[in-house]
Protein backbone atom coordinates (compact mmCIF):
# COMPACT_ATOMS: atom_id res chain seq x y z
CA UNK A 1 0.00 0.00 0.00
CA UNK A 2 1.39 3.38 -1.07
CA UNK A 3 -0.22 5.95 1.25
CA UNK A 4 -0.56 9.63 0.34
CA UNK A 5 -0.39 12.60 2.76
CA UNK A 6 -3.34 13.38 5.03
CA UNK A 7 -5.70 15.90 3.40
CA UNK A 8 -4.50 15.03 -0.10
CA UNK A 9 -6.83 16.26 -2.84
CA UNK A 10 -8.08 13.65 -5.29
CA UNK A 11 -9.99 15.11 -8.19
CA UNK A 12 -10.58 15.66 -11.86
CA UNK A 13 -10.37 18.74 -14.04
CA UNK A 14 -12.23 20.44 -16.88
CA UNK A 15 -11.95 23.70 -18.81
CA UNK A 16 -15.01 25.84 -19.53
CA UNK A 17 -14.75 26.07 -23.32
CA UNK A 18 -14.04 22.36 -23.68
CA UNK A 19 -17.13 21.16 -21.80
CA UNK A 20 -19.70 23.95 -21.36
CA UNK A 21 -20.86 24.45 -24.94
CA UNK A 22 -21.90 27.48 -27.00
CA UNK A 23 -19.18 29.80 -25.77
CA UNK A 24 -20.15 32.14 -28.59
CA UNK A 25 -18.47 35.33 -27.38
CA UNK A 26 -15.00 33.78 -27.10
CA UNK A 27 -12.04 34.05 -29.45
CA UNK A 28 -11.97 30.26 -29.91
CA UNK A 29 -15.60 30.13 -31.08
CA UNK A 30 -14.69 32.75 -33.68
CA UNK A 31 -11.63 30.72 -34.79
CA UNK A 32 -13.65 27.50 -35.00
CA UNK A 33 -16.18 29.14 -37.31
CA UNK A 34 -13.76 31.12 -39.47
CA UNK A 35 -13.99 30.23 -43.19
CA UNK A 36 -10.34 29.16 -43.24
CA UNK A 37 -10.42 27.34 -39.88
CA UNK A 38 -7.97 24.44 -39.58
CA UNK A 39 -9.90 22.94 -36.68
CA UNK A 40 -11.42 19.51 -37.21
CA UNK A 41 -14.84 20.63 -35.97
CA UNK A 42 -16.41 23.37 -33.83
CA UNK A 43 -17.07 22.92 -30.12
CA UNK A 44 -20.84 23.41 -30.50
CA UNK A 45 -22.75 22.16 -27.47
CA UNK A 46 -19.61 20.42 -26.17
CA UNK A 47 -20.74 18.30 -23.18
CA UNK A 48 -23.39 20.85 -22.08
CA UNK A 49 -21.64 21.08 -18.73
CA UNK A 50 -23.02 24.63 -18.50
CA UNK A 51 -26.38 23.10 -17.58
CA UNK A 52 -25.35 19.63 -16.40
CA UNK A 53 -22.59 20.49 -13.92
CA UNK A 54 -24.65 19.34 -10.87
CA UNK A 55 -24.92 15.82 -12.33
CA UNK A 56 -21.25 15.78 -13.32
CA UNK A 57 -20.12 16.88 -9.86
CA UNK A 58 -22.33 14.24 -8.23
CA UNK A 59 -20.73 11.54 -10.36
CA UNK A 60 -17.25 12.62 -9.27
CA UNK A 61 -18.24 12.82 -5.62
CA UNK A 62 -20.18 9.54 -5.62
CA UNK A 63 -17.12 7.79 -7.03
CA UNK A 64 -15.06 8.98 -4.05
CA UNK A 65 -13.22 12.07 -5.31
CA UNK A 66 -12.92 15.12 -3.04
CA UNK A 67 -11.78 17.83 -5.46
CA UNK A 68 -12.85 19.38 -8.76
CA UNK A 69 -10.89 21.85 -10.86
CA UNK A 70 -12.88 23.95 -13.32
CA UNK A 71 -12.51 27.30 -15.01
CA UNK A 72 -14.51 30.50 -15.15
CA UNK A 73 -15.17 31.76 -18.67
CA UNK A 74 -14.12 35.39 -19.07
CA UNK A 75 -16.00 35.59 -22.39
CA UNK A 76 -19.29 34.75 -20.66
CA UNK A 77 -18.69 37.05 -17.70
CA UNK A 78 -17.60 40.02 -19.85
CA UNK A 79 -19.06 39.26 -23.31
CA UNK A 80 -18.51 42.84 -24.46
CA UNK A 81 -15.81 45.18 -23.23
CA UNK A 82 -16.98 46.77 -19.98
CA UNK A 83 -20.28 44.85 -19.73
CA UNK A 84 -20.42 42.35 -16.87
CA UNK A 85 -23.05 39.61 -16.85
CA UNK A 86 -24.36 39.34 -13.31
CA UNK A 87 -26.21 36.18 -14.31
CA UNK A 88 -22.97 34.47 -15.32
CA UNK A 89 -21.23 35.55 -12.12
CA UNK A 90 -24.14 33.96 -10.24
CA UNK A 91 -23.78 30.83 -12.38
CA UNK A 92 -20.13 30.34 -11.45
CA UNK A 93 -20.89 31.11 -7.81
CA UNK A 94 -23.46 28.29 -7.93
CA UNK A 95 -20.84 25.99 -9.42
CA UNK A 96 -18.48 26.73 -6.52
CA UNK A 97 -21.30 26.19 -4.00
CA UNK A 98 -22.43 22.98 -5.72
CA UNK A 99 -18.91 21.58 -5.62
CA UNK A 100 -18.76 22.21 -1.88
CA UNK A 101 -22.21 20.72 -1.31
CA UNK A 102 -20.91 17.55 -2.96
CA UNK A 103 -17.78 17.46 -0.81
CA UNK A 104 -15.56 18.58 -3.69
CA UNK A 105 -12.91 21.17 -2.86
CA UNK A 106 -13.22 23.66 -5.77
CA UNK A 107 -9.99 24.58 -7.55
CA UNK A 108 -10.90 27.54 -9.76
CA UNK A 109 -8.98 28.57 -12.89
CA UNK A 110 -9.47 32.19 -13.97
CA UNK A 111 -8.34 31.78 -17.59
CA UNK A 112 -8.02 28.48 -19.45
CA UNK A 113 -6.79 29.62 -22.90
CA UNK A 114 -9.99 31.31 -24.08
CA UNK A 115 -10.54 35.06 -23.86
CA UNK A 116 -13.41 37.29 -24.99
CA UNK A 117 -13.50 37.88 -28.73
CA UNK A 118 -13.29 41.63 -28.09
CA UNK A 119 -10.06 41.15 -26.10
CA UNK A 120 -8.42 39.41 -29.05
CA UNK A 121 -9.82 41.98 -31.46
CA UNK A 122 -8.43 44.85 -29.36
CA UNK A 123 -4.86 43.55 -29.37
CA UNK A 124 -4.93 40.30 -27.37
CA UNK A 125 -1.93 39.88 -25.02
CA UNK A 126 0.04 42.38 -27.11
CA UNK A 127 -2.22 45.31 -26.22
CA UNK A 128 -0.80 47.97 -23.90
CA UNK A 129 -3.77 47.58 -21.55
CA UNK A 130 -3.94 43.75 -21.63
CA UNK A 131 -2.78 43.30 -18.04
CA UNK A 132 -5.12 46.05 -16.83
CA UNK A 133 -8.07 44.41 -18.59
CA UNK A 134 -7.29 40.97 -17.15
CA UNK A 135 -6.82 42.49 -13.69
CA UNK A 136 -10.22 44.21 -13.99
CA UNK A 137 -11.77 40.84 -14.82
CA UNK A 138 -10.10 39.24 -11.79
CA UNK A 139 -11.44 42.06 -9.58
CA UNK A 140 -14.89 41.38 -11.07
CA UNK A 141 -14.90 37.69 -10.12
CA UNK A 142 -13.27 38.22 -6.72
CA UNK A 143 -16.55 38.27 -4.73
CA UNK A 144 -17.55 34.78 -5.93
CA UNK A 145 -14.15 33.33 -4.89
CA UNK A 146 -14.85 33.79 -1.21
CA UNK A 147 -13.85 30.58 0.53
CA UNK A 148 -12.04 29.07 -2.48
CA UNK A 149 -8.67 27.74 -1.34
CA UNK A 150 -6.78 27.26 -4.62
CA UNK A 151 -7.05 29.72 -7.50
CA UNK A 152 -5.15 29.06 -10.74
CA UNK A 153 -4.59 32.42 -12.40
CA UNK A 154 -3.57 31.35 -15.92
CA UNK A 155 -3.64 27.87 -17.42
CA UNK A 156 -0.48 26.83 -19.23
CA UNK A 157 0.96 30.26 -20.00
CA UNK A 158 3.79 28.47 -21.81
CA UNK A 159 1.31 27.00 -24.30
CA UNK A 160 -0.58 30.31 -24.48
CA UNK A 161 2.64 32.08 -25.46
CA UNK A 162 3.25 29.44 -28.14
CA UNK A 163 -0.27 29.88 -29.52
CA UNK A 164 0.36 33.63 -29.57
CA UNK A 165 3.48 32.97 -31.64
CA UNK A 166 1.16 32.88 -34.63
CA UNK A 167 1.36 29.18 -35.41
CA UNK A 168 -1.51 26.78 -35.90
CA UNK A 169 -3.15 25.32 -32.80
CA UNK A 170 -2.96 21.86 -34.36
CA UNK A 171 0.81 22.01 -33.78
CA UNK A 172 0.15 21.49 -30.08
CA UNK A 173 -0.39 17.77 -30.68
CA UNK A 174 2.72 17.46 -32.83
CA UNK A 175 6.15 16.61 -31.47
CA UNK A 176 7.63 20.03 -32.29
CA UNK A 177 6.07 22.79 -30.23
CA UNK A 178 5.57 26.23 -31.83
CA UNK A 179 7.96 29.08 -31.09
CA UNK A 180 6.67 31.11 -28.13
CA UNK A 181 6.22 34.86 -28.30
CA UNK A 182 8.58 36.14 -25.56
CA UNK A 183 6.76 39.49 -25.25
CA UNK A 184 3.48 37.65 -24.63
CA UNK A 185 5.26 35.44 -22.07
CA UNK A 186 6.35 38.56 -20.17
CA UNK A 187 2.83 39.99 -20.33
CA UNK A 188 1.33 36.74 -19.02
CA UNK A 189 3.80 36.75 -16.14
CA UNK A 190 2.82 40.33 -15.29
CA UNK A 191 -0.86 39.36 -15.51
CA UNK A 192 -0.22 36.38 -13.22
CA UNK A 193 1.49 38.55 -10.62
CA UNK A 194 -1.27 41.17 -10.71
CA UNK A 195 -3.97 38.51 -10.49
CA UNK A 196 -2.20 36.83 -7.56
CA UNK A 197 -2.13 40.11 -5.64
CA UNK A 198 -5.85 40.54 -6.20
CA UNK A 199 -6.65 36.94 -5.19
CA UNK A 200 -4.66 37.40 -1.97
CA UNK A 201 -7.15 40.03 -0.86
CA UNK A 202 -9.55 37.13 -0.23
CA UNK A 203 -8.87 35.56 3.15
CA UNK A 204 -7.28 32.13 2.84
CA UNK A 205 -7.05 32.13 -0.95
CA UNK A 206 -3.84 30.82 -2.52
CA UNK A 207 -2.72 31.65 -6.05
CA UNK A 208 -0.54 29.92 -8.61
CA UNK A 209 -0.40 29.23 -12.33
CA UNK A 210 -0.32 25.87 -14.08
CA UNK A 211 2.53 24.81 -16.35
CA UNK A 212 2.56 22.17 -19.09
CA UNK A 213 5.73 20.30 -18.18
CA UNK A 214 7.29 18.59 -21.19
CA UNK A 215 9.78 16.03 -19.77
CA UNK A 216 12.36 16.84 -22.44
CA UNK A 217 14.88 14.00 -22.81
CA UNK A 218 18.34 14.38 -24.35
CA UNK A 219 19.32 11.70 -26.85
CA UNK A 220 22.84 11.94 -25.43
CA UNK A 221 24.35 12.86 -28.78
CA UNK A 222 26.93 15.66 -28.92
CA UNK A 223 25.06 18.96 -28.65
CA UNK A 224 21.78 17.37 -27.48
CA UNK A 225 22.11 18.44 -23.84
CA UNK A 226 22.68 22.05 -24.93
CA UNK A 227 19.65 21.83 -27.22
CA UNK A 228 17.47 20.60 -24.32
CA UNK A 229 18.24 23.86 -22.52
CA UNK A 230 17.92 26.02 -25.62
CA UNK A 231 14.63 24.43 -26.67
CA UNK A 232 13.20 23.76 -23.22
CA UNK A 233 13.93 27.00 -21.38
CA UNK A 234 11.44 29.25 -23.25
CA UNK A 235 8.82 26.48 -23.52
CA UNK A 236 8.84 25.08 -19.98
CA UNK A 237 11.74 25.74 -17.59
CA UNK A 238 11.44 29.56 -17.46
CA UNK A 239 7.81 29.37 -16.29
CA UNK A 240 8.66 26.98 -13.47
CA UNK A 241 11.49 29.27 -12.39
CA UNK A 242 9.12 32.26 -12.42
CA UNK A 243 6.82 30.33 -10.03
CA UNK A 244 9.27 30.99 -7.18
CA UNK A 245 7.43 32.70 -4.34
CA UNK A 246 3.96 31.59 -5.46
CA UNK A 247 1.64 29.74 -3.07
CA UNK A 248 1.69 26.66 -5.32
CA UNK A 249 2.52 25.65 -8.87
CA UNK A 250 0.24 23.49 -11.00
CA UNK A 251 1.92 20.69 -12.96
CA UNK A 252 0.23 19.39 -16.12
CA UNK A 253 2.09 16.38 -17.47
CA UNK A 254 1.27 13.87 -20.20
CA UNK A 255 4.27 12.60 -22.16
CA UNK A 256 7.93 13.20 -23.04
CA UNK A 257 9.83 14.50 -26.06
CA UNK A 258 13.33 13.45 -27.08
CA UNK A 259 15.64 16.29 -28.07
CA UNK A 260 18.60 15.74 -30.37
CA UNK A 261 21.29 18.23 -31.41
CA UNK A 262 18.91 19.66 -34.07
CA UNK A 263 15.84 19.83 -31.83
CA UNK A 264 12.79 17.68 -31.04
CA UNK A 265 12.42 14.23 -32.60
CA UNK A 266 9.23 12.51 -33.78
CA UNK A 267 7.78 9.80 -31.55
CA UNK A 268 9.50 6.49 -32.22
CA UNK A 269 7.34 4.12 -34.31
CA UNK A 270 8.00 1.24 -31.91
CA UNK A 271 6.39 2.74 -28.78
CA UNK A 272 2.76 2.73 -27.67
CA UNK A 273 1.03 6.01 -28.51
CA UNK A 274 -2.22 7.67 -27.48
CA UNK A 275 -5.04 9.15 -29.56
CA UNK A 276 -3.10 12.42 -29.67
CA UNK A 277 -0.03 10.64 -31.04
CA UNK A 278 1.93 11.09 -27.82
CA UNK A 279 4.10 8.38 -26.30
CA UNK A 280 2.44 6.38 -23.50
CA UNK A 281 4.80 7.53 -20.76
CA UNK A 282 3.35 7.62 -17.22
CA UNK A 283 6.69 8.70 -15.72
CA UNK A 284 6.13 12.15 -17.27
CA UNK A 285 4.24 13.14 -14.13
CA UNK A 286 7.04 12.31 -11.70
CA UNK A 287 9.55 14.12 -13.90
CA UNK A 288 7.30 17.18 -14.18
CA UNK A 289 6.74 17.35 -10.42
CA UNK A 290 10.46 17.02 -9.68
CA UNK A 291 11.30 19.69 -12.24
CA UNK A 292 8.68 22.09 -10.84
CA UNK A 293 9.91 21.60 -7.28
CA UNK A 294 13.56 22.11 -8.18
CA UNK A 295 13.17 25.00 -10.60
CA UNK A 296 10.70 26.93 -8.42
CA UNK A 297 12.89 26.57 -5.34
CA UNK A 298 10.51 24.33 -3.41
CA UNK A 299 7.08 25.78 -4.17
CA UNK A 300 4.31 23.29 -3.22
CA UNK A 301 2.93 21.36 -6.19
CA UNK A 302 -0.63 20.49 -7.20
CA UNK A 303 -1.04 18.12 -10.13
CA UNK A 304 -3.71 20.09 -11.96
CA UNK A 305 -3.76 17.84 -15.06
CA UNK A 306 -2.54 14.35 -15.92
CA UNK A 307 -4.18 11.81 -18.15
CA UNK A 308 -4.32 10.02 -21.46
CA UNK A 309 -6.39 10.16 -24.65
CA UNK A 310 -7.48 6.58 -25.30
CA UNK A 311 -10.49 4.53 -26.31
CA UNK A 312 -9.21 1.66 -24.11
CA UNK A 313 -10.07 2.46 -20.50
CA UNK A 314 -7.79 -0.31 -19.21
CA UNK A 315 -4.86 1.69 -20.61
CA UNK A 316 -6.16 4.81 -18.83
CA UNK A 317 -6.09 2.92 -15.54
CA UNK A 318 -2.62 1.51 -16.29
CA UNK A 319 -1.30 4.96 -17.20
CA UNK A 320 -2.76 6.56 -14.08
CA UNK A 321 -1.44 3.77 -11.85
CA UNK A 322 2.06 4.33 -13.24
CA UNK A 323 1.77 8.10 -12.92
CA UNK A 324 0.63 7.87 -9.29
CA UNK A 325 3.42 5.44 -8.41
CA UNK A 326 5.89 8.03 -9.70
CA UNK A 327 4.09 10.80 -7.83
CA UNK A 328 4.38 8.77 -4.62
CA UNK A 329 8.14 8.40 -5.19
CA UNK A 330 8.46 12.17 -5.51
CA UNK A 331 6.46 12.71 -2.29
CA UNK A 332 8.59 10.10 -0.51
CA UNK A 333 11.65 12.13 -1.46
CA UNK A 334 10.28 15.15 0.41
CA UNK A 335 8.49 17.03 -2.39
CA UNK A 336 5.33 18.73 -1.11
CA UNK A 337 2.45 17.67 -3.34
CA UNK A 338 -1.03 18.72 -2.24
CA UNK A 339 -3.26 16.98 -4.76
CA UNK A 340 -3.83 15.09 -7.98
CA UNK A 341 -6.51 16.21 -10.47
CA UNK A 342 -7.00 13.90 -13.43
CA UNK A 343 -7.52 15.24 -16.94
CA UNK A 344 -10.29 15.01 -17.65
CA UNK A 345 -13.52 14.58 -15.74
CA UNK A 346 -15.40 14.34 -19.05
CA UNK A 347 -14.61 13.46 -22.60
CA UNK A 348 -14.43 16.90 -24.14
CA UNK A 349 -13.56 19.21 -27.00
CA UNK A 350 -9.82 18.92 -27.52
CA UNK A 351 -9.31 22.21 -29.33
CA UNK A 352 -8.02 21.76 -32.91
CA UNK A 353 -8.42 17.97 -32.62
CA UNK A 354 -12.16 18.07 -31.99
CA UNK A 355 -13.93 15.39 -29.96
CA UNK A 356 -11.95 12.34 -31.12
CA UNK A 357 -9.24 12.30 -28.40
CA UNK A 358 -11.14 10.94 -25.37
CA UNK A 359 -9.45 11.90 -22.08
CA UNK A 360 -12.49 11.57 -19.81
CA UNK A 361 -13.31 9.49 -16.76
CA UNK A 362 -16.91 9.98 -17.91
CA UNK A 363 -18.19 9.53 -21.46
CA UNK A 364 -21.22 11.35 -22.84
CA UNK A 365 -23.59 10.88 -25.75
CA UNK A 366 -23.23 13.69 -28.30
CA UNK A 367 -26.98 13.56 -29.07
CA UNK A 368 -28.60 13.10 -25.65
CA UNK A 369 -25.71 14.19 -23.38
CA UNK A 370 -26.34 11.08 -21.26
CA UNK A 371 -23.36 10.44 -18.99
CA UNK A 372 -21.60 7.06 -18.74
CA UNK A 373 -18.94 6.80 -16.03
CA UNK A 374 -15.99 4.65 -17.12
CA UNK A 375 -14.35 1.99 -14.93
CA UNK A 376 -11.40 4.38 -14.54
CA UNK A 377 -13.60 6.76 -12.52
CA UNK A 378 -14.52 4.02 -10.05
CA UNK A 379 -10.87 2.94 -9.90
CA UNK A 380 -9.59 6.46 -9.15
CA UNK A 381 -12.42 6.99 -6.66
CA UNK A 382 -11.31 3.90 -4.74
CA UNK A 383 -7.74 5.21 -4.64
CA UNK A 384 -9.15 8.47 -3.27
CA UNK A 385 -11.25 6.72 -0.61
CA UNK A 386 -8.20 4.78 0.60
CA UNK A 387 -5.89 7.78 0.06
CA UNK A 388 -3.49 5.11 -1.15
CA UNK A 389 -2.50 2.98 -4.10
Amino acid sequence: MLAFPDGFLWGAATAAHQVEGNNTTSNWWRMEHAPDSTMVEPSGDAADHLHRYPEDMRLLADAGLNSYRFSLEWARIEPERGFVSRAMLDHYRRMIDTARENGLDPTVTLMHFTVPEWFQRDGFWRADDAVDLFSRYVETVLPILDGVRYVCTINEPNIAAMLAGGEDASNLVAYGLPNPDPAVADTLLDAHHRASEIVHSVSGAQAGWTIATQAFHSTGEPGADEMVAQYGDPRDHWYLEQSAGDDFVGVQAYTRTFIGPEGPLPVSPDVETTLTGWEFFPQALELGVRSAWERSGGVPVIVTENGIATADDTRRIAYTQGALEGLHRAISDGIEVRGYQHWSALDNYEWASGFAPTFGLIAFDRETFARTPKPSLAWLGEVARRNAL
Side-chain angles (χ1 to χ4, degrees):
M1 185 90 72
L2 302 178
F4 283 76
D6 290 344
F8 197 77
L9 294 179
W10 292 99
T14 59
H17 186 81
Q18 293 179 262
V19 292
E20 286 183 343
N22 298 299
N23 187 21
T24 58
T25 51
S26 72
N27 63 329
W28 275 86
W29 184 273
R30 177 62 61 89
M31 288 189 284
E32 292 163 16
H33 293 273
D36 59 349
S37 177
T38 56
M39 301 192 188
V40 171
E41 58 188 324
S43 54
D45 291 317
D48 194 31
H49 186 64
L50 187 74
H51 302 105
R52 298 168 193 268
Y53 70 87
E55 176 189 359
D56 296 333
M57 291 185 191
R58 276 196 304 274
L59 289 172
L60 298 178
D62 288 349
L65 301 184
N66 61 19
S67 155
Y68 178 45
R69 174 183 175 236
F70 59 93
S71 71
L72 313 182
E73 184 52 67
W74 184 5
R76 294 188 192 275
I77 291 168
E78 192 179 1
E80 292 293 343
R81 184 171 180 142
F83 170 76
V84 172
S85 170
R86 298 293 160 192
M88 289 313 304
L89 281 174
D90 286 348
H91 166 81
Y92 289 114
R93 179 72 233 185
R94 286 194 300 275
M95 285 190 71
I96 291 167
D97 291 342
T98 301
R100 283 215 194 82
E101 288 160 9
N102 281 280
L104 300 170
D105 193 270
T107 298
V108 176
T109 303
L110 302 180
M111 190 197 73
H112 197 120
F113 289 149
T114 46
V115 297
E117 200 280 326
W118 62 260
F119 181 79
Q120 178 144 343
R121 179 196 68 214
D122 292 353
F124 200 41
W125 293 107
R126 298 182 184 86
D128 292 340
D129 59 352
V131 175
D132 292 337
L133 291 167
F134 182 67
S135 300
R136 185 179 71 180
Y137 156 66
V138 178
E139 293 274 11
T140 299
V141 303
L142 198 64
I144 71 169
L145 298 178
D146 184 48
V148 173
R149 182 165 39 154
Y150 295 118
V151 178
C152 306
T153 57
I154 297 171
N155 180 77
E156 296 186 345
N158 50 334
I159 304 296
M162 293 179 216
L163 288 170
E167 300 200 39
D168 196 294
S170 60
N171 282 8
L172 295 180
V173 295
Y175 67 88
L177 293 166
N179 290 315
D181 184 322
V184 168
D186 287 339
T187 300
L188 290 170
L189 178 62
D190 191 10
H192 164 60
H193 285 153
R194 290 268 294 276
S196 297
E197 289 174 13
I198 296 165
V199 167
H200 285 148
S201 66
V202 175
S203 177
Q206 299 186 39
W209 60 1
T210 70
I211 310 303
T213 59
Q214 312 296 312
F216 295 122
H217 278 49
S218 168
T219 60
E221 300 166 83
D225 290 356
E226 292 80 1
M227 181 55 74
V228 167
Q230 180 182 329
Y231 186 82
D233 286 354
R235 291 171 173 80
D236 177 334
H237 309 153
W238 179 82
Y239 297 86
L240 297 174
E241 291 159 1
Q242 298 306 315
S243 303
D246 287 349
D247 300 317
F248 69 91
V249 56
V251 166
Q252 311 199 160
Y254 293 93
T255 190
R256 66 176 168 183
T257 300
F258 279 98
I259 307 290
E262 305 301 319
L265 302 175
V267 175
S268 171
D270 59 358
V271 301
E272 179 181 353
T273 55
T274 70
L275 291 175
T276 48
W278 300 340
E279 180 184 354
F280 181 100
F281 186 67
Q283 297 95 315
L285 180 58
E286 179 183 359
L287 294 172
V289 167
R290 290 184 185 277
S291 178
W293 179 256
E294 290 162 11
R295 293 181 183 277
S296 69
V299 168
V301 172
I302 301 175
V303 178
T304 41
E305 287 184 23
N306 171 250
I308 178 178
T310 180
D312 181 351
D313 202 52
T314 65
R315 298 310 290 153
R316 177 172 291 106
I317 293 172
Y319 177 92
T320 310
Q321 170 87 26
L324 291 174
E325 288 170 355
L327 185 63
H328 189 271
R329 284 191 295 271
I331 293 170
S332 298
D333 285 343
I335 295 174
E336 183 180 350
V337 182
R338 296 183 178 175
Y340 172 87
Q341 294 162 332
H342 190 87
W343 184 269
S344 172
L346 292 156
D347 286 341
N348 60 34
Y349 180 72
E350 278 299 319
W351 310 108
S353 302
F355 289 93
T358 44
F359 279 92
L361 298 167
I362 302 167
F364 73 95
D365 185 294
R366 294 279 301 278
E367 297 291 323
T368 66
F369 302 106
R371 271 47 175 163
T372 305
K374 302 176 188 179
S376 52
L377 175 60
W379 178 87
L380 186 60
E382 278 306 307
V383 173
R385 289 183 201 279
R386 290 193 305 266
N387 199 33
L389 275 173

